[in-house]
Amino acid sequence: MSGPAPSPAGHERPGTVWEVFWVFLRLGLTSFGGPVAHIAYFREALVERRRWLTDKAYADLMALCQFLPGPASSQVGMALGLQRAGWGGLFAAWFAFTMPSVLLMVAFAYGVAWAGDLSDAGWIHGLKAAAVAVVAHAVMGMARTMTPDAPRATIAALAAIIVLLVPSPFVLVAAIAVSGLIGLIWLRPPQEQPSEADTFPLRVPKRVAIPCLVAFFALLAGLPVLAAATGNEAASLADTFYRAGALVFGGGHVVLPLLETETVQTGMLEPDVFLAGYGAAQAVPGPLFTFSGFLGASAAGIPGAALAVLAIFLPGGLLVVGCVSFWERLRSNQTARKALLGFNAGVVGVLAAAFYTPVFTAGIIDVGIEALAVAIAAFIALTSWRVPAWAVVLAAGVLGAVVL
């Protein structure tokens, strides 16, 4: 009988499952504003406050998750949970960050008529204004670390311009790839090896990583065959949501057209039900992929919600476990490190572009000058008074309910 599997991090784990759970539960309850804002909330909570990793290691992890299909912010959380507390930490990070939103979306599915249209609620406008402050803070902090010189600042600006001029999830991935190519050609090789603190110290054994990648492709190919052969409703539901999670780059809003095609155009749901759920999804914290909980519950009750949520998040989890240690090994290669400098600058540019749209446009321009006042107050509280992001978000929601 074989002994217990070694820690995937390759060394003594620095935290506990409960620590990871409570940190990500707080994030899951307060991270409003979509995937770009989530990255900013993660940085504030885990890089600045708790110092689980450095900005450089965080940017490298972000670059990997931007390249992979699936919900990028959730994949970042899974990797951080795995590194911090092993396999239990991975599950705890995903569950705690995701379940608050899932429960709210399932509740909306059972009470859509009662919930009504939340798009003009003042507290939602306040939450969006807070997201503007959080993302602005993240862009500034990452720019100081990732673009300290003219070449890297230029790469970041180029990535931002590309994403702003041609808004598309595929263009977003292409902008980061081009940034890496420019870094490979233009940037000088780093003179020093990255310190241990600047690496993301996660090693997944090949005997685990490779089966995860095999399982990803096997399910992608096998679930449609199973659904067609059996005609089983559960298999069809699993196939629908697994493909949505496996084939969509950029996450968030990008997955919505595919889900609309798979649920409304196939007759699974009525258009009005889909749109009601989409409106509700804008009002809850956590990843927008939890919209799958609403759709699954609307189609097949609580079991349908559970199956849809597991199916849409599973491919992202398999990919991040299968790829993260291979990505980290590139850091020891001098040529790859030049490309990583470019990738990191590109990530800053992409984040800056997303700060304008959709974060600033939806949070300020679409609301009015009062929302800008709330965002400025939130920014000062976050940066000068060092108020935790979750408290800033809650205060902005209350203030928004009063003045917006």
Side-chain angles (χ1 to χ4, degrees):
M1 180 179 294
S2 60
S7 165
H11 54 75
E12 184 180 356
R13 295 192 295 266
T16 67
V17 171
W18 278 112
E19 175 196 28
V20 171
F21 177 85
W22 289 115
V23 168
F24 277 91
L25 180 61
R26 180 176 291 177
L27 289 167
L29 290 169
T30 59
S31 294
F32 294 88
V36 175
H38 299 163
I39 296 299
Y41 286 112
F42 283 11
R43 179 184 176 275
E44 191 276 339
L46 306 177
V47 177
E48 288 204 336
R49 288 196 168 271
R50 292 174 178 82
R51 301 191 184 280
W52 283 8
L53 70 171
T54 67
D55 254 330
K56 290 181 180 179
Y58 184 60
D60 284 351
L61 179 60
M62 281 177 55
L64 168 63
C65 293
Q66 292 286 356
F67 275 115
L68 298 176
S73 59
S74 295
Q75 288 168 307
V76 168
M78 291 177 196
L80 288 169
L82 180 60
Q83 186 273 328
R84 189 74 183 172
W87 302 112
L90 182 151
F91 181 79
W94 171 78
F95 186 87
F97 183 61
T98 304
M99 281 306 111
S101 179
V102 169
L103 294 175
L104 289 171
M105 292 305 300
V106 171
F108 276 124
Y110 281 95
V112 167
W114 173 83
D117 183 8
L118 297 172
S119 60
D120 288 326
W123 62 275
I124 291 180
H125 293 322
L127 298 176
K128 291 181 178 179
V132 171
V134 172
V135 176
H137 184 217
V139 171
M140 291 174 56
M142 295 189 71
R144 283 194 295 267
T145 304
M146 301 290 97
T147 60
D149 50 48
R152 280 181 280 180
T154 302
I155 293 173
L158 178 62
I161 291 169
I162 292 173
V163 172
L164 287 171
L165 292 179
V166 190
S168 162
F170 300 103
V171 171
L172 182 149
V173 174
I176 297 177
V178 169
S179 298
L181 180 62
I182 295 174
L184 184 63
I185 297 171
W186 187 22
L187 297 179
R188 293 182 178 180
Q191 296 302 310
E192 299 178 356
Q193 290 292 323
S195 67
E196 183 67 23
D198 284 336
T199 63
F200 184 64
L202 179 59
R203 299 288 189 275
V204 176
K206 287 184 179 180
R207 66 178 182 274
V208 175
I210 292 176
C212 283
L213 294 176
V214 171
F216 170 83
F217 289 106
L219 288 169
L220 185 60
L223 283 174
V225 176
L226 178 65
T230 64
N232 182 272
E233 181 182 4
S236 178
L237 201 65
D239 171 42
T240 294
F241 288 96
Y242 187 88
R243 278 188 290 111
L247 299 178
V248 172
F249 289 87
H253 297 279
V254 182
V255 78
L256 296 175
L258 178 58
L259 290 177
E260 192 272 341
T261 299
E262 296 287 346
T263 58
V264 176
Q265 295 185 22
T266 60
M268 184 185 298
L269 295 177
E270 293 296 324
D272 289 347
V273 174
F274 184 92
L275 291 176
Y278 174 70
Q282 314 308 306
V284 299
L288 280 173
F289 269 51
T290 58
F291 183 36
S292 60
F294 173 91
L295 299 175
S298 299
I302 299 296
L307 181 59
V309 170
L310 290 173
I312 203 169
F313 281 98
L314 179 59
L318 291 173
L319 283 176
V320 78
V321 172
C323 295
V324 68
S325 60
F326 296 106
W327 179 264
E328 180 57 31
R329 289 191 182 100
L330 290 175
R331 295 184 63 92
S332 61
N333 182 281
Q334 188 83 338
T335 302
R337 289 175 60 214
K338 291 170 59 180
L340 283 173
L341 293 177
F343 285 140
N344 292 343
V347 167
V348 174
V350 167
L351 188 61
F355 168 72
Y356 175 72
T357 180
V359 176
F360 189 84
T361 54
I364 305 299
I365 295 178
D366 293 347
V367 180
I369 195 69
E370 296 86 355
L372 179 60
V374 174
I376 291 173
F379 183 78
I380 295 301
L382 194 64
T383 58
S384 298
W385 293 98
R386 308 292 295 173
V387 179
W390 64 268
V392 171
V393 169
L394 294 179
V398 173
L399 188 59
V402 175
V403 303
L404 298 180

